[in-house]
Amino acid sequence: MTADPAQKDLSKTAYDHLWMHFTRMSSYENSPVPTIVKGEGTYVWDDKGRKYLDGLAGLFVVQAGHGREELAEAAAKQAKELAFFPVWSYAHPKAVELAERLANYAPGDLNKVFFSTGGGEAVETAWKLAKQYFKLTGKPTKYKVISRAVAYHGTPQGALSITGLPGLKAPFEPLVPGTHKAPNTNIYRAPAFLAGPDGTVDPEAYGRWCADEIEVAILNEGADTVAAVFVEPVQNAGGCFPPPPGYFQRLREICDRHDVLLVSDEVICAFGRLGTMFGADKFGYQPDMITCAKGMTSGYSPIGATIISDRLAEPFYKGDNTFLHGYTFGGHPVSSAVALANLDIFEREGLNQHVLDNESKFLGTLDKLRDLPIVGDVRGNGYFYGIELVKDKVTKESFNDDEVERVLYGFLSKALFENGLYCRADDRGDPVIQLAPPLISDQSTFDEIEQILRTSLTDAWAKI
């Protein structure tokens, strides 16, 4: 017999039965599992009644904020009418309407929408489609992918292969062959030889170098073997690397020169995170495909999508050609209905403009933390920022593995949460704190984040 949940110790039950994602499970053998039970606006509450500012929008997801009853109502209404039907050779109204709406938002000729249930699946879809596209157009040797160092693109085998984080990939190797890495756009860690006589790095020159290094990777592999380049508008892993001026325009030229597809992985950056529906809009470039997920529904129901140009779709719409790929829950009626209601909120409340109006205030508030000895860099765009932590601001010396374990994981992650801020302390690359609050956040939110960070980082420095 299953016990009444109200009478059970949820923490003990979680440890016994809930295998949490990306979690060192042994940490909870003798410690309580944090259990979140409620959300409202920019805050969440745990099962002990403690309140936390959601500084990561769940996981870069809850754009419109917690507790939006209209999104729950949209889900319930659709479930009563049509709870499920696949889009395998059939359509249903909400998937059709959502596909049209996404196509209208997307730049250029990105008019075809292939639904999945999450971001990793969307990336997987893009790579498979790129491979088959080149087979159908008489270039079967083009299958490889170039992506960037430290970049995260998902956990399915293909998406994980594209990911540039060796530690995440090692347990699952061998992975899918044909993926190769080029430098990312972390100007804070730019190679010394790019610095001028005064020791500074020119952003435009750095952007040209980063893009040209992707071309070097294409040429080293042979352009006739490379299908696509996968890049995020602002790279997540490593701590929010924005593109230098002119970077994407040069990258577009390189891809065109070598007949390589440019895939904009916008699983995090789409739907207002940067103040535009798509990051490609923010930085003025035209991709061949966009992968997206997270913020499309503000997390109220899972969905993902790969948005594809008419040019790439054309050979699949001829004769008996078929893209033999799909997901049971892709384009789910309930998720599609929630996404449409969420996008209504975006338009009605002007969430994108709200981010554009306030991004400089958010950055300015976080910049105040630069007076702390542990803060090396503050970077990002829109409502998406990373704070890099260092041992020495002058030399930019980072922490060693033991210090990361002791300071970042042993102290700082817990201290931030205990002080009332849910965010991410991450060492995929150099140690950083990442912040991406709901898009409804305002100056009061920024101030609260800064105050909690100041207290926690000051305490962390004392433990070094």
Side-chain angles (χ1 to χ4, degrees), residues 47-379:
D47 57 346
K48 303 296 190 296
R50 290 196 60 193
K51 178 182 177 182
Y52 307 89
L53 176 61
D54 183 357
L56 204 63
L59 196 62
F60 317 103
V61 171
V62 190
Q63 316 295 62
H66 298 275
R68 290 280 190 163
E69 291 187 8
E70 62 204 276
L71 298 183
E73 289 167 357
K77 179 181 178 182
Q78 180 59 44
K80 290 177 182 178
E81 184 175 301
L82 178 67
F84 175 75
F85 209 79
V87 292
W88 297 43
S89 301
Y90 296 87
H92 58 77
K94 294 303 181 185
V96 173
E97 186 180 346
L98 179 59
E100 180 186 34
R101 195 158 179 179
L102 293 177
N104 288 337
Y105 286 141
D109 70 338
L110 272 65
N111 290 315
K112 302 295 189 290
V113 180
F114 192 100
F115 286 116
S116 55
T117 58
E121 291 177 353
V123 170
E124 199 86 358
T125 297
W127 191 10
K128 290 178 73 174
L129 191 142
K131 288 181 177 181
Q132 190 174 354
Y133 167 78
F134 281 116
K135 286 181 170 61
L136 291 176
T137 55
K139 298 180 180 179
T141 62
K142 292 177 77 71
Y143 71 92
K144 297 176 184 175
V145 165
I146 308 297
S147 57
R148 300 187 294 195
V150 195
Y152 176 82
H153 292 284
T155 56
Q157 291 287 82
L160 185 58
S161 302
I162 297 172
T163 289
L165 295 160
L168 286 188
K169 300 196 291 185
F172 311 107
E173 291 175 332
L175 294 171
V176 181
T179 60
H180 305 273
K181 306 298 175 284
N184 56 47
T185 60
N186 182 5
I187 195 170
Y188 182 69
R189 297 287 179 184
F193 65 82
L194 292 175
D198 62 353
T200 62
V201 177
D202 176 66
E204 290 192 22
Y206 178 65
R208 287 195 300 273
W209 178 81
C210 290
D212 288 347
E213 286 298 295
I214 290 180
E215 183 170 36
V216 169
I218 292 171
L219 294 173
N220 283 345
E221 290 305 312
D224 60 344
T225 72
V226 178
V229 171
F230 280 68
V231 288
E232 299 162 275
V234 175
Q235 182 172 315
N236 166 35
C240 304
F241 306 144
Y247 171 80
F248 276 113
Q249 289 68 35
R250 193 171 184 90
L251 186 55
R252 179 71 269 179
E253 293 171 2
I254 290 167
C255 288
D256 288 343
R257 184 155 56 241
H258 300 294
D259 194 18
V260 170
L261 306 181
L262 178 57
V263 182
S264 189
D265 183 355
E266 306 208 14
V267 172
I268 287 177
C269 291
F271 308 111
R273 184 51 54 192
L274 306 181
T276 49
M277 275 300 175
F278 296 105
D281 298 324
K282 186 70 174 283
F283 299 116
Y285 64 95
Q286 178 62 54
D288 297 296
M289 286 187 271
I290 288 176
T291 58
C292 56
K294 294 182 183 290
M296 195 190 311
T297 64
S298 284
Y300 285 69
S301 192
I303 198 168
T306 307
I307 310 176
I308 302 140
S309 74
D310 289 333
R311 177 176 69 91
L312 299 188
E314 183 179 7
F316 293 91
Y317 278 61
K318 293 180 177 178
D320 60 357
N321 293 336
T322 304
F323 187 34
L324 296 173
H325 174 68
Y327 301 99
T328 298
F329 295 109
H332 193 282
V334 173
S335 294
S336 298
V338 172
L340 288 164
N342 180 58
L343 295 172
D344 286 343
I345 291 174
F346 266 77
E347 296 184 0
R348 186 174 68 248
E349 299 185 7
L351 290 185
N352 284 329
Q353 189 61 47
H354 179 75
V355 172
L356 295 176
D357 291 343
N358 287 279
E359 62 177 337
S360 62
K361 298 174 185 176
F362 190 11
L363 177 58
T365 303
L366 295 178
D367 270 338
K368 294 178 182 178
L369 297 167
R370 289 182 181 270
D371 67 340
L372 298 177
I374 198 172
V375 173
D377 194 27
V378 179
R379 55 182 178 252

Side-chain angles (χ1 to χ4, degrees), residues 36 42-44 50-57 362 366 369 387 412-425 433-438 441 444-457:
I36 304 301
T42 58
Y43 294 94
V44 294
R50 290 196 60 193
K51 178 182 177 182
Y52 307 89
L53 176 61
D54 183 357
L56 204 63
F362 190 11
L366 295 178
L369 297 167
I387 300 171
L412 189 54
S413 289
K414 297 174 184 177
L416 288 166
F417 194 63
E418 289 171 358
N419 288 333
L421 176 62
Y422 164 72
C423 61
R424 170 184 272 178
I433 293 173
Q434 284 186 297
L435 299 158
S441 299
S444 64
T445 312
F446 311 152
D447 289 339
E448 186 174 355
I449 289 173
E450 191 271 341
Q451 290 161 13
I452 294 173
L453 284 171
R454 181 170 293 277
T455 297
S456 303
L457 290 172

Side-chain angles (χ1 to χ4, degrees), residues 390-403:
V390 295
K391 278 202 302 187
D392 189 312
K393 291 168 77 83
V394 175
T395 65
K396 302 181 183 179
E397 181 184 0
S398 192
F399 300 100
N400 61 39
D401 291 344
D402 289 340
E403 290 164 336

